[in-house]
Coordinates of all heavy atoms in Angstrom, one line a residue:
H63 N 36.9 -218.7 -1.3 CA 36.3 -217.9 -2.4 C 36.7 -216.4 -2.3 O 37.2 -216.0 -1.3 CB 34.8 -218.1 -2.4 CG 34.2 -217.5 -1.1 ND1 34.0 -218.3 0.0 CD2 33.7 -216.3 -0.8 CE1 33.5 -217.6 0.9 NE2 33.3 -216.3 0.5
G64 N 36.4 -215.7 -3.4 CA 36.7 -214.2 -3.4 C 36.2 -213.6 -4.6 O 35.7 -214.3 -5.6
N65 N 36.2 -212.2 -4.7 CA 35.8 -211.5 -5.9 C 37.1 -211.2 -6.7 O 38.0 -210.6 -6.3 CB 35.2 -210.2 -5.5 CG 33.9 -210.4 -4.8 OD1 33.1 -211.3 -5.0 ND2 33.6 -209.5 -3.8
Y66 N 37.0 -211.7 -8.0 CA 38.2 -211.6 -8.9 C 37.7 -210.8 -10.1 O 36.7 -211.0 -10.7 CB 38.7 -213.0 -9.2 CG 39.5 -213.5 -8.1 CD1 38.9 -214.1 -7.0 CD2 40.9 -213.4 -8.1 CE1 39.6 -214.6 -5.9 CE2 41.7 -213.9 -7.0 CZ 41.0 -214.5 -5.9 OH 41.7 -214.9 -4.9
S67 N 38.6 -209.9 -10.5 CA 38.3 -209.0 -11.6 C 39.1 -209.4 -12.9 O 40.3 -209.8 -12.7 CB 38.5 -207.5 -11.3 OG 39.9 -207.3 -11.1
W68 N 38.5 -209.3 -14.0 CA 39.1 -209.5 -15.3 C 39.4 -208.1 -15.9 O 38.5 -207.5 -16.4 CB 38.2 -210.4 -16.2 CG 38.8 -210.8 -17.4 CD1 40.1 -210.5 -18.0 CD2 38.3 -211.7 -18.4 NE1 40.3 -211.1 -19.2 CE2 39.2 -211.9 -19.4 CE3 37.0 -212.4 -18.4 CZ2 38.9 -212.7 -20.5 CZ3 36.8 -213.2 -19.5 CH2 37.7 -213.4 -20.6
G69 N 40.6 -207.6 -15.7 CA 40.9 -206.2 -16.1 C 40.6 -205.8 -17.5 O 39.9 -204.7 -17.7
V73 N 35.2 -206.7 -15.8 CA 34.1 -207.5 -15.2 C 34.7 -208.2 -14.0 O 35.8 -208.6 -13.9 CB 33.6 -208.5 -16.2 CG1 34.6 -209.6 -16.6 CG2 32.3 -209.2 -15.7
T74 N 33.8 -208.3 -12.9 CA 34.2 -209.0 -11.7 C 33.2 -210.0 -11.3 O 32.0 -209.8 -11.5 CB 34.3 -207.9 -10.5 OG1 35.2 -206.9 -10.9 CG2 34.7 -208.5 -9.2
R75 N 33.7 -211.1 -10.8 CA 32.8 -212.2 -10.4 C 33.3 -212.9 -9.1 O 34.5 -212.9 -8.9 CB 32.7 -213.3 -11.5 CG 31.9 -212.9 -12.8 CD 30.4 -212.8 -12.5 NE 29.6 -212.4 -13.6 CZ 29.4 -211.1 -13.9 NH1 29.8 -210.2 -13.2 NH2 28.6 -210.8 -15.0
V77 N 34.2 -216.0 -7.3 CA 34.6 -217.3 -7.7 C 35.3 -218.1 -6.6 O 35.7 -217.6 -5.6 CB 35.6 -217.2 -8.9 CG1 34.9 -216.7 -10.2 CG2 36.8 -216.4 -8.6
V79 N 38.3 -220.3 -5.1 CA 39.8 -220.5 -5.2 C 40.0 -221.9 -5.1 O 39.6 -222.6 -4.2 CB 40.5 -219.7 -4.1 CG1 42.0 -219.9 -4.2 CG2 40.1 -218.2 -4.2
N100 N 49.4 -211.2 -2.9 CA 50.4 -211.4 -4.0 C 50.7 -212.8 -4.3 O 51.5 -213.1 -5.1 CB 51.7 -210.6 -3.8 CG 52.1 -209.9 -5.1 OD1 51.3 -209.3 -5.8 ND2 53.3 -210.0 -5.5
A101 N 50.0 -213.8 -3.7 CA 50.1 -215.2 -4.0 C 49.4 -215.5 -5.3 O 48.4 -214.9 -5.6 CB 49.6 -216.1 -2.9
V103 N 47.2 -217.9 -7.5 CA 46.2 -219.0 -7.2 C 45.5 -219.4 -8.5 O 45.6 -218.6 -9.5 CB 45.2 -218.6 -6.2 CG1 45.8 -218.4 -4.8 CG2 44.4 -217.3 -6.6
I105 N 41.8 -220.1 -10.0 CA 40.4 -219.9 -9.7 C 39.5 -220.6 -10.7 O 39.9 -220.9 -11.8 CB 40.0 -218.4 -9.6 CG1 40.3 -217.7 -10.9 CG2 40.7 -217.8 -8.4 CD1 39.8 -216.3 -11.0
F110 N 33.3 -216.6 -15.4 CA 33.8 -215.7 -16.5 C 33.4 -216.3 -17.8 O 33.1 -215.5 -18.8 CB 35.3 -215.5 -16.3 CG 35.7 -214.7 -15.1 CD1 36.3 -215.4 -14.0 CD2 35.5 -213.4 -15.1 CE1 36.6 -214.6 -12.9 CE2 35.8 -212.6 -13.9 CZ 36.4 -213.3 -12.9
A169 N 45.3 -216.4 -11.2 CA 45.0 -215.1 -10.6 C 45.9 -214.7 -9.5 O 46.6 -215.6 -8.9 CB 43.5 -215.1 -10.1
C170 N 45.9 -213.4 -9.2 CA 46.8 -212.9 -8.1 C 45.9 -212.3 -7.0 O 45.0 -211.6 -7.3 CB 47.7 -211.9 -8.7 SG 49.0 -211.3 -7.5
I171 N 46.2 -212.6 -5.8 CA 45.5 -212.1 -4.6 C 46.0 -210.6 -4.4 O 47.2 -210.4 -4.2 CB 45.7 -212.9 -3.4 CG1 45.1 -214.3 -3.6 CG2 45.0 -212.3 -2.2 CD1 45.4 -215.3 -2.5
S172 N 45.0 -209.7 -4.3 CA 45.4 -208.3 -4.1 C 45.0 -207.8 -2.7 O 45.4 -206.7 -2.3 CB 44.9 -207.4 -5.2 OG 43.5 -207.5 -5.3
S173 N 44.1 -208.5 -2.1 CA 43.7 -208.1 -0.7 C 44.6 -208.8 0.3 O 45.4 -209.6 0.0 CB 42.2 -208.5 -0.5 OG 42.1 -209.9 -0.4
R180 N 39.2 -211.0 3.6 CA 38.7 -211.3 2.2 C 39.9 -211.8 1.3 O 41.0 -211.4 1.6 CB 38.1 -210.1 1.6 CG 36.8 -209.6 2.3 CD 36.4 -208.3 1.7 NE 35.9 -208.4 0.4 CZ 34.6 -208.6 0.1 NH1 33.7 -208.6 1.1 NH2 34.2 -208.7 -1.1
C181 N 39.5 -212.5 0.3 CA 40.6 -213.1 -0.6 C 40.2 -212.6 -2.0 O 39.8 -213.5 -2.9 CB 40.6 -214.6 -0.5 SG 41.9 -215.3 -1.5
D182 N 40.3 -211.3 -2.3 CA 40.0 -210.8 -3.6 C 41.2 -210.6 -4.4 O 42.3 -210.5 -3.9 CB 39.3 -209.4 -3.4 CG 38.0 -209.6 -2.6 OD1 37.4 -210.7 -2.6 OD2 37.5 -208.6 -2.1
G183 N 41.1 -210.5 -5.7 CA 42.2 -210.3 -6.6 C 41.8 -210.1 -8.0 O 40.7 -209.6 -8.3
Y184 N 42.8 -210.4 -8.9 CA 42.6 -210.1 -10.4 C 43.2 -211.2 -11.2 O 44.1 -211.9 -10.8 CB 43.2 -208.8 -10.8 CG 44.7 -208.6 -10.5 CD1 45.6 -209.0 -11.5 CD2 45.1 -208.2 -9.2 CE1 47.0 -208.9 -11.2 CE2 46.5 -208.1 -9.0 CZ 47.4 -208.4 -9.9 OH 48.7 -208.4 -9.7
I185 N 42.6 -211.4 -12.4 CA 43.1 -212.5 -13.3 C 44.4 -212.0 -13.9 O 44.6 -210.8 -14.3 CB 42.1 -212.8 -14.4 CG1 40.9 -213.5 -13.8 CG2 42.7 -213.7 -15.5 CD1 39.7 -213.6 -14.7
L186 N 45.4 -212.9 -14.0 CA 46.7 -212.5 -14.6 C 46.6 -212.5 -16.1 O 46.1 -213.4 -16.7 CB 47.8 -213.5 -14.1 CG 48.2 -213.5 -12.6 CD1 49.1 -214.6 -12.3 CD2 48.9 -212.2 -12.3

Side-chain angles (χ1 to χ4, degrees):
H63 62 271
N65 295 328
Y66 284 79
S67 65
W68 188 354
V73 64
T74 303
R75 288 287 177 272
V77 293
V79 178
N100 224 42
V103 293
I105 59 171
F110 292 106
C170 186
I171 298 172
S172 57
S173 68
R180 298 173 69 95
C181 183
D182 301 338
Y184 58 93
I185 292 171
L186 291 171

